[in-house]
Amino acid sequence: MKPIKKAVFPVAGLGTRFLPAAKAIPKEMLPIVDKPLIQFAAEEAVAAGIDVLIFIVGRNKGSIPDHFDKAFELETKLAGDNKHDILNIVRNVLPSHVDCVYIRQAEAIGLGHAVLCAQPVIGDEPFAVLLPDDFIDAPDNCCLRQMIDIYNHNHCSILGIEQVARETVNRYGIIDSVPVSNRLSKINAIVEKPPVDQAPSNLAVVGRYILTPRIFDLLKQTKHGAGNEIQLTDGIAKLLKEEIVLGHQFTGKRFDCGNKLGYLQATVEMALQHPELKQDFGMYLQDLIGKGI
Ligand code: G1P
């Protein structure tokens, strides 16, 4: 059994829901308080034992490699000014044993295609996929860790799932499944963004996946699907005809930071946990509520 050491971050999307903010900076660089979304996802992967981060980038995503790189000028200035606390934050964006690899996806033609772009670096190993838009607040950043623990017992593909409101099923990959245990189910079928009246359930796939390398061959055979894109969901639909695929209802709270409301909710909740801000920001919110907003 090969351990899971590599994670893919598909970040080539255009971020049209966040224009004009995402015109010149990637939406994955938008901060939740003071840390960009992409860094939260990278930290979650590292906390799960991943040591190779593979970013599938497009044009205008140059600030992502810059963020994870050494910032020589800034570090020299902070060191010269004896600002060691801030220097540590800048230097320790990732631990030194972690490697970053950047692959260009020439056209944003779907999540399945983005994952396929990682094959030359992943080879014949199981791997993780994290969608940074799905920000998951869990103790010790442990969502992916939970899934890797399950992989280590079951040695099969695992998808992060959660129940969503029925009227929102057309935004997600939706599964048909049978329960195996409290939080685990065996997936029988999966469909991308079904109309509300055709959805097999209200169990949605969120942006955390562990996949066996068989997915690559299947993605190569996958034709354009929903939204005229090569969908990861369609590749997984083929995979589960050949191999067991499990769904895990993770513990933790997910925020859909691909839309403005979810992004604001994550920002407010993380500000209320932030050591420097929680007290003042909490008082500010109480004051606003007291005034009936
Ligand atoms: C993608 C996947 C979808 C999944 C969702 C989770 O959709 O295609 O199956 O449920 O992420 O956030 P997107 O949000 O990129 O449209």
Side-chain angles (χ1 to χ4, degrees):
M1 184 194 86
K2 292 180 180 162
I4 296 176
K5 290 294 185 190
K6 295 175 183 165
V8 179
F9 300 82
V11 290
L14 296 174
T16 46
R17 272 177 275 177
F18 278 94
L19 288 171
K23 186 178 171 199
I25 57 159
K27 64 177 171 150
E28 297 82 9
M29 287 301 294
L30 295 174
I32 303 291
V33 187
D34 52 10
K35 194 185 283 186
L37 275 168
I38 189 71
Q39 190 178 335
F40 280 104
E43 286 177 357
E44 182 183 329
V46 172
I50 300 287
D51 50 27
V52 180
L53 310 182
I54 304 163
F55 299 91
I56 311 299
V57 297
R59 267 172 287 279
N60 296 328
K61 300 282 178 166
S63 56
I64 294 177
D66 285 349
H67 183 72
F68 291 111
D69 202 356
K70 194 169 169 65
F72 190 76
E73 257 184 307
L74 179 61
E75 291 181 26
T76 308
K77 172 95 177 81
L78 291 170
D81 294 347
N82 282 324
K83 294 190 172 163
H84 294 291
D85 288 356
I86 313 177
L87 183 60
N88 279 339
I89 293 172
V90 172
R91 277 195 178 147
N92 298 325
V93 162
L94 285 176
S96 57
H97 71 276
V98 173
D99 289 319
C100 294
V101 179
Y102 299 91
I103 297 177
R104 274 286 273 256
Q105 186 187 17
E107 286 176 281
I109 50 172
L111 182 58
H113 179 258
V115 170
L116 187 52
C117 290
Q119 185 183 23
V121 178
I122 289 175
D124 192 27
E125 289 175 26
F127 61 100
V129 178
L130 295 94
L131 308 185
D133 280 0
D134 278 324
F135 169 72
I136 297 171
D137 179 26
D140 301 321
N141 219 347
C142 69
C143 181
L144 189 65
R145 171 88 266 161
Q146 296 168 35
M147 292 173 58
I148 289 185
D149 287 347
I150 294 166
Y151 172 83
N152 290 340
H153 283 101
N154 295 276
H155 316 148
C156 64
S157 297
I158 300 152
L159 315 184
I161 54 171
E162 77 172 13
Q163 287 197 342
V164 296
R166 265 252 154 220
E167 63 276 14
T168 65
V169 290
N170 56 3
R171 296 187 206 159
Y172 299 95
I174 299 292
I175 62 165
D176 177 37
S177 62
V178 285
V180 174
S181 62
N182 190 14
R183 293 187 168 272
L184 214 56
S185 349
K186 180 178 173 297
I187 302 180
N188 294 325
I190 184 167
V191 54
E192 180 69 7
K193 302 193 171 79
V196 176
D197 57 350
Q198 288 168 32
S201 73
N202 67 337
L203 278 175
V205 177
V206 303
R208 299 294 181 276
Y209 305 78
I210 287 174
L211 296 167
T212 60
R214 176 70 184 138
I215 193 72
F216 292 128
D217 287 336
L218 299 171
L219 283 171
K220 282 179 195 157
Q221 301 160 18
T222 300
K223 299 197 167 62
H224 290 71
N228 201 27
E229 293 186 343
I230 297 177
Q231 295 290 351
L232 181 57
T233 297
D234 295 345
I236 295 171
K238 294 188 206 295
L239 185 67
L240 54 80
K241 292 197 175 115
E242 298 182 6
E243 298 179 0
I244 288 180
V245 179
L246 298 175
H248 170 57
Q249 291 198 55
F250 52 87
T251 48
K253 184 167 180 183
R254 179 187 68 104
F255 297 90
D256 177 4
C257 291
N259 78 57
K260 290 175 192 125
L261 182 61
Y263 176 75
L264 280 175
Q265 289 165 338
T267 302
V268 169
E269 294 210 18
M270 294 314 283
L272 289 170
Q273 294 179 30
H274 194 288
E276 279 167 31
L277 286 174
K278 58 184 178 188
Q279 207 176 348
D280 289 349
F281 187 62
M283 277 160 50
Y284 167 73
L285 283 186
Q286 271 171 353
D287 192 37
L288 265 190
I289 292 161
K291 287 178 183 150
I293 307 196

